[in-house]
Amino acid sequence: MAKLPGMTVSVTHLYAGVPVTDRAAALKWFEVFFGRPADEVIDSEALWQINESAWIFIDEDPDRAGHALLTLGVEGLDGILARLAAFGVEHEPVETYGNGVRHVVVLDPDSNRLSLAEAPPADPLASGRE
């Protein structure tokens, strides 16, 4: 449970929303993106559990669609991109930052930006260094 400085409320879970224009079409696209159907559907929202305390949901909201900015930390970036490509999902070029993080932007059909970031592999020799 993370406590934020200056706050008396503790943040225990994250629910990040992605507004879309067409819920049915977005549902199919996000099933490909996550590699599985939604974990829950509640009224008009479809939710994917990212880990034990984080969820991403889509909701039909045409006026706000296309403005989401999400970055997901992942492992196995090349495999994820290959799976997406097999379903015709394109992405921007993969960038490698100075700290070794590999980053790529994937746009959904509404142009919401879903970034994937993969940390460099840990250096097993670095654990004993100071």
Side-chain angles (χ1 to χ4, degrees), residues 5 8 32 49 52 56 60 77 82-84 87-88 95 108 128:
T8 57
V32 168
Q49 188 168 15
E52 61 278 352
I56 292 177
E60 192 167 308
L77 180 60
R83 180 179 53 77
L84 293 176
F87 285 93
E95 298 179 83
D108 78 354

Side-chain angles (χ1 to χ4, degrees), residues 11 21 24 27 31-32 38 42 44 48 55 58 69 73 78 81 87 91-93 95 102-103 113 117 121:
V11 176
T21 56
L27 188 59
E31 287 177 353
V32 168
I42 303 171
S44 66
W48 285 264
W55 295 75
I58 61 168
L69 299 169
D78 293 328
L81 294 178
F87 285 93
H91 58 81
E92 294 181 0
E95 298 179 83
R102 297 175 63 225
H103 176 267
R113 293 175 57 94

Side-chain angles (χ1 to χ4, degrees), residues 9-28:
V9 177
S10 295
V11 176
T12 61
H13 289 78
L14 170 68
Y15 295 88
V18 178
V20 298
T21 56
D22 179 337
R23 182 183 179 280
L27 188 59
K28 291 177 185 175

Side-chain angles (χ1 to χ4, degrees), residues 3 12 23 25 30 32 35 39-40 44-45 50 68 79 95-96 100 115 127 129:
K3 277 218 181 243
T12 61
R23 182 183 179 280
F30 277 85
V32 168
D39 295 303
E40 288 190 39
S44 66
E45 296 177 351
I50 305 307
E95 298 179 83
T96 302
S115 296
S127 61
R129 296 183 197 153

Side-chain angles (χ1 to χ4, degrees), residues 14 18-19 21-22 36 51 64 75 80 94-95 101 116 128 130:
L14 170 68
V18 178
T21 56
D22 179 337
R36 67 183 197 276
N51 67 28
R64 297 176 67 189
E75 295 178 353
I80 294 168
V94 177
E95 298 179 83
V101 169
L116 304 173
E130 294 193 23

